[in-house]
Every structure is written in C-alpha cells, then in structure tokens.
Amino acid sequence: MAENDIFRALADPTRRAIFEKLAAGSMNASALRKGMEISQPAMSQHLSILRDAKLVRQERQGRFVNYEVDPEGLTLIVHWLAKYHTFWPSRIADLKVLLKEIDQ
Amino acid sequence: MAENDIFRALADPTRRAIFEKLAAGSMNASALRKGMEISQPAMSQHLSILRDAKLVRQERQGRFVNYEVDPEGLTLIVHWLAKYHTFWPSRIADLKVLLKEIDQ
DNA sequence: CGGTTGGATAAGTCTATGCTTATGTATTGA
DNA sequence: TCAATACATAAGCATAGACTTATCCAACCG
C-alpha cells in the first residue's frame, strides 16, 4: 500500500534529511552523502526505500544516478492530510496564508 | 522531536486506522476497539503513542477516557508539507480545488 | 584491456517496536 | 463495601528495520 510506504519512509529521520536535501536540489548518491556521516550502502538502502514510496525518483546518467524529489509521493500525503482538513486550524485553512507563513 | 514522533506514529497502519476513526467522531478507548480486532493493552499503547505525537488528545470522563483528534499534530504535518510546496502539482496548489476533489 | 569509481545487493547483527499475558489503579453501581 | 468496569503499565517475546562488512556490477579512463 502506497500510503503505508510513504509514512514508513518518512518515519526515519535520516531519510527525511535526505529528502530535504534533495528538495533543495537534485544530486547523485555520492553528493548526498557529503556532510551526512552515512555509509554508501546505507545511503543506497535509504534511497531505495524513498524511491519505493515515490518520494524520490532516479535517472541514470552514465556512471552516476541522479536523484530528485518525486511529486507523486508528496501529492499522496497532501491528499491524506486533506481528508482531515476539518481539523486544521482555521488560520491555515487558506493555503495562501500558510505559504506566506512558510516563506518568511 | 515532535516531527519525528508524528511520522513514527503514523508509520503504523493500525494507528492510522485509529486516527481515522477518531476523525469521524471522538470516542473512548473501548468504543474504538469495536470492529478492530485489537487487544485492550495494544489499543492503550497505540493511543499513548498518538497522544505523545499530539495527533490525539484525551479527556477523562469518570471511568471513561474520551479521545479526539488533536489539531496540533495535523498542523505540524501541514507545515512540514508546506516546506515542499514547490513540488506539489500545480493542480492542487490551490487548496480550494484540492478540497473539492476530496469532498466528492 | 585493467584499474578505479559510483552504486546496488547480500548476509549478518543489534535495536526498536508491536504484540502478548499479567497486574495495577480509578471509578462506578449494586 | 465490594465486585465489575475502563483503562494504564510492566515485562517478555518475536519480528521489523537500520546498520555493518563483503561483494558485485557497470561505466569510465589511463
């Protein structure tokens, strides 16, 4: 189940850090490791889990594999969250207000 | 860390089911168990984890403990998600459109 | 070619986690 | 007051999951 894959993938802080890094700009696995104190196999395994959850996607470029954020995973979370929008504070019921909050 | 608690809490399908049930209407722990094939201690433990993640909150009512959705947890996810709004499909960048999708 | 580099995979280990049974603690109602 | 009910907590167990080391594969480069 896709929803399950997503929440499981995001349950690990290292994977959220990887995802956040990719959100700032796509890069390959080696570049991702820089400044992250994580072994090469561990990174590869995390990326595999993020990929299965459709949170990232890859594209082979010769010897390198470039990773980037996959919007599909995020869309699934947005939809999951939207099911409970009646509980959102009215302040952020307007997305424009929310995004303004974030940007500053 | 609150973010960590939330994603860990949601990583379990049983807890997401509990949360969804509470979103449809607050109730006590025994009522939650109905139709859920889950032991009383297991339910209590799940609720404890959801509470720590601020996804649900409780209110003792005599012998019963009423549980309900806590908007605070949802707000945290919304904010986490909003950090990546540049990756959302443009279709749902407008929340009104999104909510319309959900309602049907 | 043949070595080097980027990355995936396999197998084993250790810890986290979700369950169980047993028990504890309030609250209520007979 | 005392049994029953609602729930929490403790302790133990079994599986999942995050890491390790070792190895493999493929693409590049001298």
Side-chain angles (χ1 to χ4, degrees):
Chain A
M1 186 209 204
E3 198 173 85
N4 205 49
D5 289 344
I6 289 193
F7 284 117
R8 279 178 170 291
L10 292 175
D12 183 78
T14 303
R15 280 194 292 270
R16 288 200 306 279
I18 293 171
F19 181 80
E20 186 154 13
K21 227 171 165 182
L22 283 178
S26 51
M27 64 187 92
N28 60 53
S30 300
L32 271 170
R33 284 183 60 206
K34 291 196 176 138
M36 275 207 73
E37 199 135 348
I38 183 176
S39 73
Q40 180 270 314
M43 174 59 81
S44 188
Q45 287 158 17
H46 281 309
L47 286 170
S48 162
I49 289 169
L50 287 168
R51 180 163 29 79
D52 290 349
K54 300 201 185 295
L55 282 164
V56 309
R57 59 191 175 194
Q58 47 180 254
E59 185 190 353
R60 182 162 269 277
Q61 281 172 356
R63 202 164 26 158
F64 301 79
V65 177
N66 203 266
Y67 282 90
E68 62 180 357
V69 168
D70 186 343
E72 187 168 341
L74 286 175
T75 303
L76 279 165
I77 308 179
V78 171
H79 276 90
W80 181 88
L81 207 48
K83 285 194 293 184
Y84 309 109
H85 76 269
T86 53
F87 296 100
W88 297 6
S90 56
R91 207 178 72 263
I92 63 166
D94 180 356
L95 190 66
K96 281 174 193 159
V97 175
L98 171 65
L99 297 181
K100 219 169 279 172
E101 272 183 39
I102 302 296
D103 284 339
Q104 41 174 271
Chain B
M1 187 210 203
E3 197 174 85
N4 205 48
D5 289 344
I6 289 194
F7 284 117
R8 278 175 170 292
L10 292 174
D12 184 77
T14 303
R15 281 194 290 270
R16 288 199 306 278
I18 293 171
F19 181 80
E20 185 154 13
K21 225 170 165 183
L22 283 178
S26 52
M27 63 186 92
N28 60 53
S30 301
L32 271 171
R33 283 184 61 207
K34 290 195 177 139
M36 275 208 72
E37 200 135 344
I38 184 177
S39 73
Q40 180 269 316
M43 173 60 80
S44 188
Q45 287 159 16
H46 281 309
L47 285 170
S48 163
I49 289 170
L50 287 168
R51 179 165 29 78
D52 290 347
K54 301 202 185 293
L55 282 163
V56 310
R57 57 189 177 197
Q58 49 180 255
E59 186 190 353
R60 181 161 271 276
Q61 282 172 355
R63 199 164 28 159
F64 300 80
V65 177
N66 203 266
Y67 283 90
E68 63 181 356
V69 168
D70 185 343
E72 187 168 340
L74 286 176
T75 303
L76 280 166
I77 308 179
V78 171
H79 276 89
W80 181 88
L81 207 47
K83 286 194 291 183
Y84 309 109
H85 76 269
T86 52
F87 297 101
W88 297 6
S90 56
R91 207 176 73 263
I92 63 167
D94 181 356
L95 191 67
K96 281 175 192 157
V97 175
L98 171 67
L99 297 181
K100 220 169 277 171
E101 271 181 40
I102 303 297
D103 284 341
Q104 39 175 276

